[in-house]
Every structure is written in structure tokens, then in C-alpha cells.
Amino acid sequence: MVLNYIWIAFFVIAFIFALIGLAMGDTTIFQKIVDSTFDSSKNAFEISLGLTGVLALWLGIMKIGEKAGVVNVLARALSPVFTRLFPDIPKNHPVMGSIFMNIASNMLGLDNAATPTGLKAMQQMQELNTKKDTATNPMIMFLVLNTSGLTIIPTTILAFRASYGAAQPTDVFIPILLATLVATLAGIIITSLWQRINILQPVLLATLLGMCAFVGIIIWGFGQMDKDTMNTVTTLASNMILLGIILCFILAGFWKKVNVYDAFIEGAKEGFTTAVKIIPYLVAILVGIGVFRASGAMDMVIQGISWSVEQCGLNADFVGALPTAIMKPLSGSGARGMMLEAMKNYGPDSFVGRLSCIFQGSTDTTFYILAVYFGSVSIRNTRHAVACGLLADLAGVIAAIAIAYLFFG
């Protein structure tokens, strides 16, 4: 229901801004909006088409792991923590393994691997759902963990900074880690309070503190490296872990005498079906975002924020990077474009250029994830998923600004 109102608002606000633009003499504004609808529709289909191969690959690998029992092993290992964070999921249910695979992929910045495992987890949780059109508490907690976007190795952002000639492409690495950690912890706490989950349970509290300690060790370790070594280690680690997961699942299947080829084909067929199923949901959300942006509403929002900050007598240096933060919950590619535009216009080593990179890495694409994940299982009533996801995003944005001033201000 929330997405319904937001989607309508995109079009209503865009139309109002278009009328204002026409009154100010811009006779091409409606043409721009109409062109945006066609471009966004095409982009949605191309995204889904591009996901087809990746979905087929990873759901095929997941099917091997499922038949070999690897997913069940992961589920049992994570049961003490996940049964408290996801109390409505039965103990040792295979979905626990899928959730772990998804979260691990996100932490390593392996976007292509994260989406298929996330969709698999949603399908498994839907099997436990008694109201098939309504999101369950575990689904919402899982979605918030995704939208808060905990990333240990932001490989893509570092690569873009290097390509734009940043003196030290990795200087945003620690700030991104800190900002994304804040967003994730905020998302867990907010959703737990909403769902009345006791986060002070010893096991759960120890896990959260352990997560903070792990990130701290990572920060310390990479802080001892120069930029070239850091780039090499992050790229090598990501690819080795990714290939290691694939090899582990295949060898486990072989050890358990599973016909790994047939199991892969079975899972790959599910990937193709899922890719086709999410097309309408992607078209809907990306067209709404495209119309909102083409109308000039996004620019007006940025200008309004800048004016308000200046009127309060506050430092408005961060406002130039806000387009990335505002676009990130709406569109990953749009936010990436805003980040690149900020580095191009202000310079990769400017405060705005660095902050835009931190924004890009601090959270994930909330509405895109909601549309794809909920759309894959035909969920229409999202309950408090949007509110929790956006509050986690807000925490990440505020943390990113504070951290940027601390490191680069």
C-alpha cells in the first residue's frame, strides 16, 4: 500500500512541476517526461534481461548447494542468531542458509551474486507465509538488512575513483565502512523495535558487538596498506571468495553423489522464470522515478534543502553531494550517475566528490530492492518495510555527512 501512494505521488508531483516549468516558458518539459517513461521502461527490461543469465547461474549453484546439504549446514550454524533475529522462521529452516549467502554477498560487494540469493530467500520465506499478498516480519527484516547495504569491500566505488584520477582512490574506504555499519545497525534496531524483538538477548547482542569488532579489525588491517595494495587485496579477495563458493557447492554435490549438472539446470530454470516475473515491477518503479527526475522535481528538492541549510547558518558544503543520497533509495544506476557527475564537476578529491562516494556506499537502493524482492513473490502489502528501510537510509545519510566532515572537512 505504501508503494502505491509513493508511485502515485511521483506522477502527481511530476505533473505539477511540469506545469510550473511550462508556465516559466519550458515548452519541452512534457516531451522530456514522456521520453523518460519510454527510456525508463526500456531500462527496466534491459535490467531484467541482464539479470537473467546471472539469476540462472546463481540459482543453479544454489540448487546444487541445496541438494548437497550445504545450505542446511549454514542454516544450522546460523540458527542461534537468526532464530532470534527472525523468530517466525522455524529452527534450521533452509532459508537461513540463503539469507546468509545473500548477506555475505552484499558485504563483499558481489552485487550479481547477492540478488539471486536474495530472491531465493524470499521464495523460501513465501512458502512459510500464510497471507501470500502480505509481507511477513522475517521478509521485512531481511529487506531492511539489504536496503541498509552493509558492504565490507566497496570495490566498484574504489574503481570509479581511480578512473577519475583520485590521488588516493581508497581514502573513502574507512568512511564508507563506518557509514554503512551505522545504517545496518540502525536498520536492525528500528525493525526489531517495530517487531518487538528483544535485541538485548545475549546471543543477538554479542553478534552485533562482534560485527562491530569484525569491521574494526578490517578497518585496522586495510589501514596498514598503501592504496595499491588495498586495491589488489580487495579485488583478489572478492573474486577468490566468489569462485570458492561456486567450487565448494559443486564439490559438496559431487561428494554427496548429486548429479550436479541436472541440479544446476533445475535451478537455472527457476532463474529464468524469476527474471521474467519481476519485469512489471521494475517497469513500474523505474518509470515513476524517471518521471519524477525528468520533471525537475529532484533539482527543486536539492535547491530547497540548500536554501534551508544556508538560512539556518549551517555549513552547506554537503548539499552538492545530496543528489546521490536522494537518488540512492530510488535507483542504483541513477545514484551512480550522480556520484560520477559530482566527481566530474567538483573533482574526485573534493569534499563533495568524496561525500558522494560515501553516500553511494553507505546504503542500498531501497525502492528497487522492495520492487524486485517483493515483486518476485507477488507481495502487495509491504506493511512497515518502506518506513524501516527509509529510516535506515536516513541514519546512513546522516552518518555519512558527519563522517565526511570528520575525515575530510
Side-chain angles (χ1 to χ4, degrees), residues 4 19 57 77 80 125 205 215 246 248 272 305 315 364:
N4 176 53
L19 289 177
L57 169 64
M125 283 187 279
L205 184 61
V215 172
I246 295 174
C248 175
F272 178 80
I305 293 174
N315 188 321
D364 214 327

Side-chain angles (χ1 to χ4, degrees), residues 177-252:
L177 274 178
L178 296 175
T180 190
L181 178 61
V182 170
T184 300
L185 291 176
I188 292 174
I189 293 171
I190 291 168
T191 309
S192 296
L193 291 174
W194 207 306
Q195 298 180 359
R196 299 182 180 179
I197 297 172
N198 181 14
I199 58 176
L200 297 180
Q201 300 174 75
V203 173
L204 191 54
L205 184 61
T207 300
L208 296 177
L209 293 176
M211 185 170 63
C212 294
F214 174 72
V215 172
I217 293 172
I218 295 293
I219 291 173
W220 176 83
F222 278 101
Q224 309 304 308
M225 305 177 188
D226 57 57
K227 62 179 181 179
D228 292 331
T229 303
M230 188 183 295
N231 285 333
T232 301
V233 170
T234 53
T235 302
L236 182 61
S238 296
N239 291 323
M240 283 185 66
I241 292 172
L242 183 59
L243 184 59
I245 291 171
I246 295 174
L247 186 60
C248 175
F249 277 35
I250 292 175
L251 292 178

